[in-house]
Amino acid sequence: MWSILANPHRFMAFSRYAVPVCYAIGTALFGWAMYQALWVVPSDAYQGGDIIRAMFIHVPSAWLCMGLYLGLAGSSFVWFIWRHELADIAARAIAPIGAGYTALCLATGSIWGKPTWGTWWLWDDARMMSVLVLFFLFLGYMALRAAMETRQKAARAGAILAMVGAVNVPLIKFSVDIWSSLHQGPSVIRAEGPAMAAVYLNPLLISFLGQGLIVAAMVFTLMRAEVFGQQADALMARRLSEG
Amino acid sequence: MTLPSPLLSAFRQALSEAWAGGAGVLLPFGFFAGTAVLVPFTMGSDPDLLAKIGPGVLWLALALASLVTLERVFQADLQDGALDLWVQEDGSISQIAAVKTLAHWLISGLPLVLLTPLLGMMLQVPATQTVPAMVAYALGGLTFFLWGGVAAALSASVARGGLLIALIALPFYLPTVIFGTLALDEGLGGTSILFLAASTLFALGVAPAAMGAALRLAAD
Amino acid sequence: MTLPSPLLSAFRQALSEAWAGGAGVLLPFGFFAGTAVLVPFTMGSDPDLLAKIGPGVLWLALALASLVTLERVFQADLQDGALDLWVQEDGSISQIAAVKTLAHWLISGLPLVLLTPLLGMMLQVPATQTVPAMVAYALGGLTFFLWGGVAAALSASVARGGLLIALIALPFYLPTVIFGTLALDEGLGGTSILFLAASTLFALGVAPAAMGAALRLAAD
Amino acid sequence: MSDPALIEGRGLGAVRGERVLFQDVSLAVQGGDGMVLRGANGSGKTTLLRQLAGLSEPQAGTVQRTTNHHWIGHSNGLKPHETPRSHLANWARVWGSEIEVEDVLLQMQMHRPADVPCRLISAGQKRRTGLGRLLLVPRDIWLLDEPFNALDADGQALLAGMIATHRAGGGAVIAALHGTAPIEVSDEVVL
Amino acid sequence: MSDPALIEGRGLGAVRGERVLFQDVSLAVQGGDGMVLRGANGSGKTTLLRQLAGLSEPQAGTVQRTTNHHWIGHSNGLKPHETPRSHLANWARVWGSEIEVEDVLLQMQMHRPADVPCRLISAGQKRRTGLGRLLLVPRDIWLLDEPFNALDADGQALLAGMIATHRAGGGAVIAALHGTAPIEVSDEVVL
Ligand code: HEM
Ligand SMILES: Nc1ncnc2c1ncn2[C@@H]1O[C@H](COP(=O)(O)OP(=O)(O)OP(=O)(O)O)[C@@H](O)[C@H]1O
Ligand SMILES: Nc1ncnc2c1ncn2[C@@H]1O[C@H](COP(=O)(O)OP(=O)(O)OP(=O)(O)O)[C@@H](O)[C@H]1O
Ligand SMILES: [Mg+2]
Ligand SMILES: [Mg+2]
């Protein structure tokens, strides 16, 4: 699929329809999940009462921000090796959305943490720290790109950083994990299968799917804007050089 | 170890550069004086407290030394045209960057490590921790310089991107800080020092290539 | 206050220089990130401990920001020939240096002060201390920048005298740190904040002339 | 002596390392003069000019200036992040100049790269930007250190014209030069 | 084509900002050639030279070099704390040169300030030190960006002589120049 999309024209043709479709289905799924989360799902005394409803945003956003970083590193790699213009456009579009989702994960996490753990923030919690670091990776990536003169240079610098960052992420995760953790271990994605009641699990997965589609739509939207911008630049350059 | 001659020369040149900069002799002194004066005044001189924060202050100092030093080196190389000369030494710019990093670590990082016993005394670090601390600071400092070098090389072409560097380098410093802090508690027998060594090796493997690519970009 | 036009221009130019360097926007972030990540890992995250060292960490950060920033400014002015132009504005080089220092403090020092409530929350500084802390950091930071500027100007003609600077500046930082730390405890009603303000005024009176003389020397 | 000299150096000397670079150099320049400093590389032209500008203290002798001067050194005084426009606008403000920066940019033919940061513009464009300062405020003395360096033929003609106009208006120029001078020389000091 | 070109650029193009600096520039240089790049300030000579040297990625076209080259840019690559002697000695070691640095210093007439830190020597002395690198190891291609800048008459003759010798020995030179070329020009590219 990616090799098909690597052609900007085909990408534009595809995304033209994909964007509204993703938005529509994503919003519908997410809306249903939110309805379930806010009115249907029973509150859970052990996890802090009604605040458990934050889970339906927190957990998908946690998964998505990690996924978005993988996407960033992947498209950076593709650009660095094959110089596919579209891969760079994708990387550029992913970064702010990734940063936003990471911030969302941090925010919902600390909102959840206040009633359950009695504090907004824990310094030596492994998950929290690794998400914070992910946030800094996104910020650093964007700051670096913004500081470079030309798009070409921004792409090169960004790709180097994203790739090195990707190699380092497992190390960060591992080091942080052996440090200590208050955060609960995985209860959905684990070898023995999910250990979560279906009332929680189904809306959670639906919410994840819905948010995932919305994220995809947002990324495509930003990419389209960028492609349009570049076409406009090219047009302008042609006009300028003609007279 | 016999280095090929360009690398050896890059090393010698970087050594003399770091030395001539005055940083070599003065960094440990400056840092020593700085912590000696500022830390007790601002954080109190309670021995228990100092014992707790002492190692951390040293880590911070190493991290800062690595960031500030390499930023200048690459920025200066870019401005005075020396980077152009090095970039053209075919294919070896990564190795040269690594060797320069090493030289600057020797001059600006290692003296701090060697001063550890003295600083440790001041900051109430228990005597039994001195040797593990020195090993940990040596390995950790080198890792800091390597990752800091990547960040510095990446932002070399940006006018005074000092803080961009800090932002970029931080995530990379984290594993080192964690393993290093753990290693101080566990001593040389523990596993953390092995992890620390592994993370240093990892940086040695990955950082030079990234530095090389970033320096090429900076010269463009 | 109406500044004469050369001073106003020097101020505007210094502002845009500090801003363009990226330090303006990024320094608070970089520092925020730095403390957020490194301090708890290296020094532990015990809230009591953090409450004790928090204010000190902020003082250290201000001190470092002042040293690193101004060194670069004057070094760059010397190398690109801008210093020659300023030195010839008859007699006013002291004032120009003061104004530039002010601009860089505004861009690199003040944001840290403004972030104090946030950092204070993270580092467990008690809420009642927030306002006195901000006043103290603002005054203290300015004093740091002024003395740091003198040290930076003195070592501007030495190639990369970064650590020479630290050594020269430290003694001057000491009174500020002492009064500042006391002021944090005493609050706005105490006398320490007055002493702090007095030391800032003193620096404002003496440092510019010293900077001017040192910059003239550097240009020679 | 009819006119008082705009700038006058008496018995100037410079020592660098163990070496006497020059000694007993006396010179005086009146309005309309164009003095050229000549000498091999390292003979002390820059050193002498810096003494005349008051940037460097002479090891011997004295310098007297009756009016203000412009200084153009080997380096142009540009910040990497500044643009030619912002550089000139800034110095126009510093000197309280009434002149339109736009006109100066046009005259120096720097209107096209006027908004490109100085770290990106070409060597000759940097020099033109620095030379543009000469036009911001009229000052009687111009001290120029190899001002024709890095300029293309047009640029050299442009500068020569600026110097001629300046001298015609009663100004004086002291310039360190190598090679044939593209300006009319009224006096030469050889170091 | 009899000889294969030492260096060849095909269809080179450069874009800076929104502007096309140059496009479709093709050039080839054989042993003995002395090619001069001409053009107004900011026309792209430095940019083209950097592409030829492999320092800058061309936005269009390709560069092929069959042998190694020397690069002399606008800045000389000297560190402020280095002395001319230590600079040349260092690059001699990097390139595994057999030549005596002392001889190079003598030839460049830099034996007197050979031990003064580069931040203190004069502009022309800096340039001579940088040019001294050309003599450390023989390389077929010399890429020179305004190499005559800041040199006095002796220095210009010296460099012209070096270039002539180099070309007589089968080397090639590509130089960006303003004004009359003090070397024999075999080919000109105007940007
Ligand atoms: C700022 C604070 C927090 C951050 C940065 C954070 C981060 C994360 C991350 C990264 C994940 C995904 C982990 C994975 O799948 O491997 C996650 C999952 C989760 N988090 Fe948090 N979290 C925070 C606070 C909390 C709090 C306070 C709670 C509740 C007590 C909580 C409950 C959960 C749950 C139930 C999961 C799903 C675990 C699973 O099934 O894998 N989190 N969080
Ligand atoms: N510390 C020192 N020891 C010895 N010589 C020194 C020292 N500092 C400077 N010099 C010498 O002083 C001279 C300074 O010359 P200056 O820069 O004035 O020359 P110039 O005439 O402008 O030359 P150019 O034509 O190359 O610009 C140089 O020859 C330099 O080598
Ligand atoms: N980001 C940018 N936007 C617009 N123009 C740019 C940008 N970066 C560089 N330029 C222009 O690109 C050109 C680079 O020219 P280059 O340095 O190659 O010129 P040159 O021929 O060597 O000139 P000189 O004779 O002055 O050395 C300059 O005209 C510069 O203004
Ligand atoms: Mg000179
Ligand atoms: Mg050029």
Side-chain angles (χ1 to χ4, degrees), chain A residues 149, chain D residues 113 116 120-125 150, chain E residues 16-19 21 39-48 74 145-146 178:
Chain A
E149 250 102 48
Chain D
V116 182
L120 298 176
I121 64 181
S122 82
Q125 291 171 339
Chain E
R16 289 288 179 277
E18 316 288 50
R19 212 179 114 216
L21 268 190
N41 287 144
S43 57
K45 302 179 294 299
T46 299
T47 311
L48 177 58
H74 279 300
D145 199 357
E146 302 192 36
H178 290 303

Side-chain angles (χ1 to χ4, degrees), chain D residues 11-25 41-45 47-48 51 58-61 191, chain E residues 112 125:
Chain D
L12 293 172
V15 181
R16 290 288 180 275
E18 315 290 49
R19 212 178 114 216
V20 176
L21 268 190
F22 53 81
Q23 55 189 350
D24 241 341
V25 174
N41 288 143
S43 57
K45 302 179 292 303
T47 311
L48 178 58
Q51 292 184 350
Q59 270 83 36
L191 294 179
Chain E
R112 275 225 296 193
Q125 290 171 340

Side-chain angles (χ1 to χ4, degrees), chain D residues 95-132:
Chain D
W95 293 329
S97 156
E98 306 282 275
I99 216 160
E100 282 292 321
V101 167
E102 204 52 49
D103 294 344
V104 176
L105 286 169
L106 265 173
Q107 194 173 339
M108 302 310 295
Q109 285 159 41
M110 285 296 297
H111 46 288
R112 276 225 295 194
D115 295 308
V116 182
C118 288
R119 69 172 173 286
L120 298 176
I121 64 181
S122 82
Q125 291 171 339
K126 283 180 196 153
R127 172 89 340 190
R128 282 164 186 254
T129 309
L131 290 171

Side-chain angles (χ1 to χ4, degrees), chain A residues 2 5 16 18 32 38 61 64 74 105 118 124 134 137-138 147 150 152 156 170 183 185-186 210 214 219 224:
Chain A
W2 289 112
L5 291 186
R16 189 168 169 193
W32 180 82
L38 295 178
S61 68
L64 278 171
C105 173
D124 40 10
L134 193 62
L137 277 175
F138 276 123
T150 62
Q152 183 82 2
R156 268 168 84 182
H183 197 289
I214 294 175
V219 170
R224 284 175 67 79

Side-chain angles (χ1 to χ4, degrees), chain A residues 93-169:
Chain A
I94 288 173
I97 296 173
Y101 256 85
T102 317
L104 186 66
C105 173
L106 285 169
T108 51
S110 21
I111 290 169
W112 197 353
K114 184 67 182 164
T116 44
W117 303 336
T119 173
W120 297 103
W121 185 256
L122 274 173
W123 282 115
D124 40 10
D125 182 82
R127 288 281 180 81
M128 291 183 175
M129 287 315 281
S130 49
V131 176
L132 185 66
V133 166
L134 193 62
F135 185 56
F136 289 141
L137 277 175
F138 276 123
L139 279 191
Y141 178 86
M142 287 192 297
L144 181 64
R145 283 198 75 127
M148 303 307 280
E149 250 102 48
T150 62
R151 211 161 42 80
Q152 183 82 2
K153 284 190 179 185
R156 268 168 84 182
I160 296 170
L161 179 61
M163 290 188 310
V164 181
V167 195
N168 205 43
V169 160

Side-chain angles (χ1 to χ4, degrees), chain B residues 51-180:
Chain B
K52 266 197 199 129
I53 64 173
V57 170
L58 269 167
W59 281 117
L60 284 179
L62 272 175
L64 283 169
S66 66
L67 286 180
V68 174
T69 309
L70 286 171
E71 189 215 343
R72 287 180 198 196
V73 174
F74 292 145
Q75 188 90 46
D77 278 0
L78 182 69
Q79 272 166 9
D80 60 26
L83 186 59
D84 289 347
L85 299 177
W86 286 117
V87 163
Q88 289 174 88
E89 292 305 295
D90 355 52
S92 60
I93 176 76
S94 310
Q95 292 163 41
I96 285 166
V99 157
K100 288 189 101 165
T101 307
L102 211 69
H104 283 276
W105 168 74
L106 273 180
I107 297 282
S108 311
L110 204 60
L112 268 186
V113 174
L114 299 179
L115 269 179
T116 304
L118 193 55
L119 279 163
M121 219 175 62
M122 276 174 42
L123 296 176
Q124 313 277 349
V125 179
T128 52
Q129 280 193 8
T130 306
V131 173
M134 287 176 74
V135 176
Y137 289 140
L139 287 173
L142 182 55
T143 323
F144 281 171
F145 271 75
L146 285 164
W147 291 127
V150 175
L154 271 174
S155 43
S157 49
V158 182
R160 297 214 311 289
L163 286 134
L164 187 55
I165 294 179
L167 194 62
I168 296 176
L170 253 169
F172 294 91
Y173 283 19
L174 193 66
T176 309
V177 167
I178 293 177
F179 293 135

